[in-house]
Amino acid sequence: SFDAELLDAALRHAFLILGITYFRSYPDVDIVIQPFELSQKQADYFNSIYRNGLGEFWFVNNLSPDVFKGFSAGSSDPDAPRPYGGDGILLLSTGGKDSLLSSLLLQKANKSFTPIFLSRDNYYPLMLDKITGQPPLLLDRRIDWAQRREIAAGGGLIGHVPFSAMIASLFLIAAVLNNKNIVVASNESSANEGNAKIGDFVANHAWSKSYEYELMLQDYIHAFMSPDLQYVSLLRAYTDLYISEQ
């Protein structure tokens, strides 16, 4: 069993973050949300994700982030955060050096965890079995390529999206469904650095891996989901060079 109300809050959060994939095709449109409304704090949160998370997209497509009209707050109050009795760690696992180091650090600290992998057709790197000592929980991902081609043929734009924010939103759902209370990522310090500028706007390819976004997401979770549900990066203090040397 799982907490249905908490799941609903996690699904709404993921719904709006995943929507960025479709929004980017026509980024100057008005955004209308049905059938629920956002508080001002929620609107500010999603506005930041769309504006900052699409930094590379704006740059590559020669657009100003000011074309984004933003989310508006409604008149109703959001649901209050709720207590949550989940217990356990989900580790975002890719088979790359970052998540492998996180798994070794957790094992060294004698922390049990469940690896989770975003898959297609049940594929995952078999090295995860050896490194983590168990097969990962698989989250199957499907992309509607026919629709993407149709959008592109009709003049819709394509480009980079804040993929790490999208993944985090999906794995929060997985945490609730599996009664876990901690989602562990492996984002390191270089994700905090911008890559280019559009006027005064700093475009950061990895913004949704940054410490800024990690704090924003944690604040959103505690304000609108549960204070007992956590999202953290285990490698935040480390550089990419340090991780490569381990």
Side-chain angles (χ1 to χ4, degrees):
S1 63
F2 52 84
D3 188 317
E5 291 188 28
L6 181 57
L7 177 63
D8 186 61
L11 286 167
R12 290 185 181 192
H13 174 257
F15 169 71
L16 292 179
I17 291 184
L18 296 176
I20 204 168
T21 300
Y22 303 95
F23 162 82
R24 67 174 171 177
S25 299
Y26 304 99
D28 59 347
V29 299
D30 294 319
I31 299 177
V32 179
I33 302 175
Q34 293 178 334
F36 59 92
E37 295 181 327
L38 300 177
S39 70
Q40 187 60 59
K41 182 172 182 176
Q42 287 174 310
D44 291 343
Y45 168 80
F46 289 109
N47 284 337
S48 184
I49 294 175
Y50 275 57
R51 181 180 173 85
N52 294 301
L54 285 171
E56 181 183 321
F57 170 84
W58 305 128
F59 183 82
V60 170
N61 286 285
N62 296 312
L63 294 172
S64 166
D66 293 335
V67 304
F68 171 48
K69 297 179 181 179
F71 292 91
S72 299
S75 57
S76 60
D77 294 328
D79 294 334
R82 50 190 294 107
Y84 175 52
D87 183 38
I89 297 171
L90 277 186
L91 174 64
L92 281 64
S93 302
T94 64
K97 66 182 186 306
D98 296 357
S99 62
L100 292 178
L101 178 57
S102 289
S103 68
L104 293 174
L105 290 174
L106 288 171
Q107 290 172 7
K108 186 176 180 179
N110 292 317
K111 298 291 186 181
S112 61
F113 64 93
T114 300
I116 181 170
F117 182 80
L118 187 66
S119 176
R120 291 184 64 183
D121 300 320
N122 292 320
Y123 163 81
Y124 70 92
L126 293 179
M127 72 173 68
L128 291 179
D129 291 353
K130 181 178 179 180
I131 297 295
T132 66
Q134 58 185 308
L137 178 66
L138 299 182
L139 197 64
D140 193 53
R141 178 192 184 208
R142 302 296 174 91
I143 299 174
D144 191 340
W145 291 111
Q147 185 187 57
R148 290 301 305 151
R149 288 191 291 269
E150 181 180 343
I151 289 173
L157 299 176
I158 58 174
H160 178 78
V161 293
F163 191 63
S164 294
M166 298 164 71
I167 296 302
S169 73
L170 294 175
F171 287 179
L172 285 169
I173 294 171
V176 175
L177 288 172
N178 290 275
N179 291 300
K180 307 295 185 182
N181 70 320
I182 302 174
V183 176
V184 173
S186 302
N187 303 322
E188 35 86 14
S189 62
S190 65
N192 300 324
E193 301 171 6
N195 312 110
K197 295 191 73 174
I198 306 171
D200 293 331
F201 175 79
V202 178
N204 181 357
H205 164 84
W207 181 83
S208 63
K209 290 184 177 182
S210 70
Y211 188 48
E212 177 186 10
Y213 179 62
E214 181 180 332
L215 293 178
M216 285 177 54
L217 176 55
Q218 188 74 280
D219 183 58
Y220 185 96
I221 292 169
H222 291 170
F224 303 111
M225 297 184 193
S226 173
D228 305 315
L229 184 60
Q230 313 293 333
Y231 172 86
V232 297
S233 176
L234 199 58
L235 307 183
R236 180 60 64 194
Y238 301 148
T239 65
D240 189 50
L241 177 60
Y242 175 85
I243 293 169
S244 299
E245 292 174 340
Q246 300 310 301

